[in-house]
Amino acid sequence: MRKAETEITFLIKGKNLTNLSNSILKAMDVKILNSTLKELDVYLLQEKYKNIVLLLYDGLGSSILDKFLPKESFLQKNKVCNISSVFPATTVAATTSVLTGLEPSEHGWLGWDMFFKDDNETVSVYMNTIKDTSIPAKHNVKERPEMKYKTIIEKINEESSNDAYIVWPFDEKYPCNTLEEISERICALCDMPNKKFIYSYYNNPDKILHQEGFKSINVRNEITKIDKMTEKLYKILPSKTLIIVIADHGHIECEYKTLSEDNTLFEMLERTTALEPRACSIKLKEKVDKDYFKNLFLKNYGNEFKLYSKEEVIEYQLFGEKIKNSIVTDNIGDFIAIAIKNTCLRYDQKGKAFKTYHAGITKDEMEVPLIVLKK
């Protein structure tokens, strides 16, 4: 695979997904938790909307829009600007920030695989299984006190006179898995009285991109369908509705390197890596010299990864300004290796090998669109 020419970009303070959610809280008369997104505030303050609808398409970053949709497409024509995801630019961290208005350092959901010190387990948090296995974790991640959070949906319903709803596959009463089901449910909710906020989540193009990559006609067709269905939804929703379209992250084509094949480095590791293959948390054995590890890692992987010590991760506020509790520092480990090119870093051969991935700090992964549609 040809190495991509990448541009490194970090989270933009004041212009990211956390700020977007706080703009929604402010518009719904709820106390904000972090600063708002000025680029969205302009629209929310223009008039009093009866319905504010947030459509999150997983993986539909700005680079994906540019790659698959022409400039005259509906979504491209209505893009206001690009904003940044959070770090890591991955669904676990980013959608939780959208759902809470909190930075990853506050809500604690940092990546697909997280280390839980009390059980000495690295767990795939959405699956609630030990990393790279089907073995159940000792405890349910969602029930852990340090992992619990209140959504902006709950806050709006509890702290204001307005209503809020969530439209996604995980709703017990109204599960919505397809674009058609999502649109039908949103239309029904928008016809109900009272001012309301509706959050919807759709798992593509992320799912199909991982499996089939950029060259797939199925990927192109899916993204075209998202564009057409969003336009169709816009046309049938009632007046006094504001639609906001975002993504949680973008994607980049990937190749893989495996730590277990690098015997010298591998022998220094205390446990399996955590978080993401492109934002890789590394914990060393107690007697390993950290400087020696750092120099050897950079010699072998320095062209593809930036390596940050725990102290640097905290100092540079990569996960956010406010460290919630020990779950964040436990998952930083001794270092985090962050991808700046195409490479994913697997612990061993059991790790997944998707065709495209995310969670690094390239522009293609970090930059997401802010699309605003007024009725």
Side-chain angles (χ1 to χ4, degrees):
M1 180 189 299
R2 182 180 66 85
K3 295 283 186 182
E5 293 298 323
T6 54
E7 182 179 338
I8 298 171
T9 182
F10 288 91
L11 175 145
I12 303 172
K13 292 186 182 296
K15 196 175 178 180
N16 60 67
L17 292 175
T18 298
N19 307 122
L20 180 143
S21 291
N22 280 277
S23 288
I24 291 167
L25 286 176
K26 183 178 179 180
M28 301 303 289
D29 304 320
V30 175
K31 182 180 178 181
I32 61 173
L33 305 167
N34 283 291
S35 60
T36 62
L37 178 62
K38 293 179 181 178
E39 290 80 0
L40 180 57
D41 290 339
V42 170
Y43 291 90
L44 292 170
L45 295 174
Q46 279 181 356
E47 57 182 287
K48 294 189 179 297
Y49 294 98
K50 179 191 172 190
N51 305 305
I52 300 174
V53 179
L54 179 63
L55 307 176
L56 192 155
Y57 295 122
D58 197 328
L60 194 66
S62 300
S63 66
I64 302 301
L65 279 181
D66 292 340
K67 189 180 294 292
F68 290 99
L69 290 179
K71 293 297 182 184
E72 64 271 17
S73 65
F74 183 71
L75 291 177
Q76 288 276 43
K77 284 191 302 183
N78 289 284
K79 186 172 80 170
V80 173
C81 65
N82 295 318
I83 63 174
S84 77
S85 182
V86 298
F87 177 78
T90 189
T91 301
V92 172
T95 60
T96 308
S97 286
V98 173
L99 273 170
T100 62
L102 300 173
E103 299 176 323
S105 60
E106 296 176 281
H107 57 65
W109 289 74
L110 304 180
W112 186 263
D113 300 305
M114 291 187 61
F115 177 69
F116 294 96
K117 189 174 182 179
D118 55 346
D119 289 331
N120 194 30
E121 289 181 340
T122 301
V123 178
S124 297
V125 293
Y126 281 173
M127 310 303 292
N128 211 60
T129 54
I130 304 301
K131 179 186 174 184
D132 296 328
T133 77
S134 58
I135 301 169
K138 291 175 185 173
H139 293 93
N140 189 326
V141 172
K142 291 182 179 180
E143 296 304 316
R144 289 178 171 275
E146 68 271 29
M147 302 298 285
K148 289 187 176 182
Y149 56 77
K150 183 170 287 190
T151 67
I152 61 173
I153 311 299
E154 293 169 306
K155 291 182 71 67
I156 292 166
N157 285 326
E158 293 173 7
E159 300 176 25
S160 77
S161 59
N162 304 310
D163 296 330
Y165 303 89
I166 191 163
V167 178
W168 62 354
F170 318 110
D171 190 287
E172 292 182 3
K173 191 173 182 181
Y174 300 104
C176 296
N177 292 283
T178 68
L179 289 169
E180 290 81 4
E181 289 171 343
I182 288 170
S183 294
E184 183 178 340
R185 179 66 178 149
I186 289 173
C187 288
L189 290 171
C190 284
D191 285 338
M192 295 173 64
N194 208 7
K195 180 179 178 180
K196 69 189 71 66
F197 167 67
I198 302 166
Y199 167 85
S200 82
Y201 167 84
Y202 182 58
N203 66 356
N204 270 321
D206 181 80
K207 183 178 180 180
I208 193 169
L209 274 166
H210 278 311
Q211 300 295 338
E212 301 189 24
F214 290 154
K215 295 179 182 179
S216 167
I217 188 64
N218 293 325
V219 169
R220 183 170 297 278
N221 289 342
E222 180 67 18
I223 293 171
T224 300
K225 183 178 180 180
I226 288 171
D227 184 65
K228 299 299 183 185
M229 287 294 293
T230 306
E231 182 175 16
K232 182 178 178 181
L233 177 64
Y234 167 75
K235 288 179 177 178
I236 61 178
L237 285 179
S239 61
K240 297 294 182 179
T241 296
L242 185 74
I243 304 172
I244 306 158
V245 182
I246 59 168
D248 49 351
H249 54 74
H251 274 255
I252 191 169
E253 281 189 310
C254 286
E255 58 186 30
Y256 291 81
K257 292 189 176 179
T258 306
L259 282 170
S260 63
E261 297 173 359
D262 190 332
N263 291 333
T264 305
L265 280 173
F266 192 70
E267 287 299 315
M268 299 182 193
L269 306 184
E270 179 179 299
R271 60 177 184 257
T272 185
T273 52
L275 302 187
E276 298 280 348
R278 292 181 58 76
C280 197
S281 169
I282 297 168
K283 179 64 178 175
L284 304 179
K285 293 175 180 175
E286 188 173 346
K287 293 184 179 180
V288 172
D289 183 278
K290 293 179 182 177
D291 288 334
Y292 177 69
F293 171 85
K294 179 178 180 179
N295 291 334
L296 185 58
F297 182 93
L298 292 176
K299 179 182 177 181
N300 293 353
Y301 303 103
N303 290 331
E304 298 144 311
F305 288 86
K306 284 187 171 291
L307 190 68
Y308 294 91
S309 67
K310 174 183 282 190
E311 294 74 22
E312 289 171 329
V313 171
I314 295 170
E315 178 186 353
Y316 301 153
Q317 300 176 347
L318 296 188
F319 292 115
E321 296 181 28
K322 312 159 193 172
I323 299 290
K324 175 188 175 186
N325 54 38
S326 62
I327 195 66
V328 176
T329 51
D330 286 347
N331 275 276
I332 297 172
D334 292 308
F335 293 96
I336 292 186
I338 308 176
I340 58 174
K341 294 287 181 65
N342 293 85
T343 307
C344 289
L345 198 59
R346 295 190 297 176
Y347 179 73
D348 57 27
Q349 289 290 344
K350 292 185 293 184
K352 299 182 187 72
F354 291 138
K355 291 190 175 181
T356 69
Y357 228 116
H358 46 82
I361 49 173
T362 70
K363 183 178 179 182
D364 286 355
E365 297 161 276
M366 285 291 294
E367 198 170 74
V368 297
L370 173 66
I371 297 164
V372 182
L373 310 165
K374 298 189 297 179
K375 290 278 300 212

